[in-house]
Amino acid sequence: MTTNIYANADYFTDPYADTFTLEGGTEWDGKVNIKAGGFYQNVDNGREDVVGGVVNFATTLDNGLKLRARALGTNQGLHGLVGLRKNGPISVEAQCDHDYVATALAIRKGIDSTGCSLSVETPDNKPVWAAVTADIHGFSDDNRRTMIALATRFKLDEHFTIAHRSRRLDFKKRVPEYFSPDKWDRHQVTLQYEGKYDRGTYRLEAGPGIDRIDHKTTSFGVVGAAVYYDYGKTSMFGRAVHQFGSAYHFTQVTVGISIPL
């Protein structure tokens, strides 16, 4: 078993919320992978702060099932998730979670969400890959969200891939505490380029899309990049994605590092 120090940072902003999240601690990696450390999230530019501790657990059971779990204890209560995945010619993954809603208004009213998702996908090492995900979540304010998503990917050659994503999202009712459109349909196509360098890999992505939110249709563009870097046993990564030109737009940047002890 190896022992590492890890740290992750994530910044997300859209018209409805802004979050800056830090998580870090110690990782024990062997037959069982365990990460335990601290958690901090700044919500809506400091209007609310979430502080606590987190434990992540992952392992492969004797029957081949991959089990993962997360427990998060903060000043907003106890939250977490548990998921199971079975790989094969058709892989299946199920996950259930309980979480707080990360906007200042929702935190002040103590709004939580609880639900489950089910995903079915083909092997990702084939030229053509596809996945379907269904999701249902209930909220403590008596709201409900259902979602169905389809993702496909066609590898053109060693470097270039065409990816398509579509999603249908429905809420029982619209509320002011968080983004909750009655109906949200999205279709997006991107061209991806994957490359390698001496100590890692990188991926670039760009393409157009269409949003239809509550019967109003708008177009958007998306650009993204990801970099993975290894220096000895130290590993680092960075990811960024920016969507522009739509009624719903966002920016997300995530970085992380793992250092062996």
Side-chain angles (χ1 to χ4, degrees), residues 3-257:
T3 304
N4 306 308
I5 297 294
Y6 81 97
N8 299 324
D10 179 86
Y11 172 74
F12 178 84
T13 180
D14 70 4
Y16 305 91
D18 300 281
T19 59
F20 176 71
T21 308
L22 288 173
E23 181 180 328
T26 304
E27 175 185 15
W28 295 271
D29 190 22
K31 181 176 175 58
V32 175
N33 179 276
I34 298 174
K35 293 181 179 178
F39 178 90
Y40 168 75
Q41 188 173 66
N42 178 295
V43 180
D44 290 345
N45 298 313
R47 293 169 63 192
E48 293 292 339
D49 291 306
V50 181
V51 182
V54 61
V55 177
N56 296 285
F57 173 91
T59 189
T60 300
L61 305 178
D62 292 339
N63 59 6
L65 283 175
K66 295 182 179 294
L67 168 67
R68 63 188 182 94
R70 176 179 173 89
L72 176 65
T74 69
N75 55 338
Q76 299 305 313
L78 181 62
H79 301 91
L81 67 82
V82 61
L84 283 172
R85 180 181 178 89
K86 178 65 174 178
N87 290 330
I90 298 295
S91 297
V92 179
E93 182 170 359
Q95 175 182 300
C96 293
D97 62 80
H98 174 62
D99 205 356
Y100 62 92
V101 178
T103 72
L105 289 176
I107 287 175
R108 289 170 186 169
K109 291 192 174 182
I111 300 175
D112 290 336
S113 71
T114 304
C116 296
S117 64
L118 179 66
S119 299
V120 179
E121 65 180 80
T122 61
D124 61 3
N125 60 350
K126 302 295 184 181
V128 178
W129 170 87
V132 178
T133 301
D135 174 288
I136 183 168
H137 274 71
F139 294 75
S140 57
D141 62 352
D142 196 37
N143 207 354
R144 183 179 66 252
R145 183 193 75 205
T146 57
M147 187 270 291
I148 183 76
L150 169 67
T152 56
R153 193 170 62 229
F154 179 70
K155 198 168 185 63
L156 300 175
D157 59 24
E158 181 182 358
H159 298 290
F160 287 98
T161 299
I162 293 178
H164 169 263
R165 303 180 185 94
S166 61
R167 181 180 65 187
R168 174 67 180 267
L169 193 69
D170 296 277
F171 279 86
K172 177 182 176 182
K173 60 183 179 180
R174 299 184 67 176
V175 297
E177 289 82 9
Y178 51 90
F179 184 49
S180 49
D182 291 332
K183 298 183 184 300
W184 182 10
D185 294 294
R186 158 168 293 197
H187 301 278
Q188 174 186 315
V189 177
T190 58
L191 179 64
Q192 301 175 349
Y193 178 86
E194 296 185 17
K196 298 180 180 180
Y197 58 99
D198 288 344
R199 295 189 178 275
T201 62
Y202 63 92
R203 185 181 70 249
L204 306 175
E205 181 177 18
I210 295 175
D211 269 341
R212 184 173 174 82
I213 301 175
D214 294 340
H215 310 294
K216 180 180 179 180
T217 302
T218 59
S219 60
F220 65 86
V222 61
V223 293
V227 179
Y228 303 89
Y229 180 83
D230 292 322
Y231 183 79
K233 294 183 179 181
T234 297
S235 60
M236 293 172 278
F237 73 89
R239 294 189 294 265
V241 60
H242 175 59
Q243 179 179 304
F244 55 91
S246 171
Y248 176 82
H249 53 272
F250 72 91
T251 300
Q252 185 172 18
V253 179
T254 306
V255 295
I257 187 170

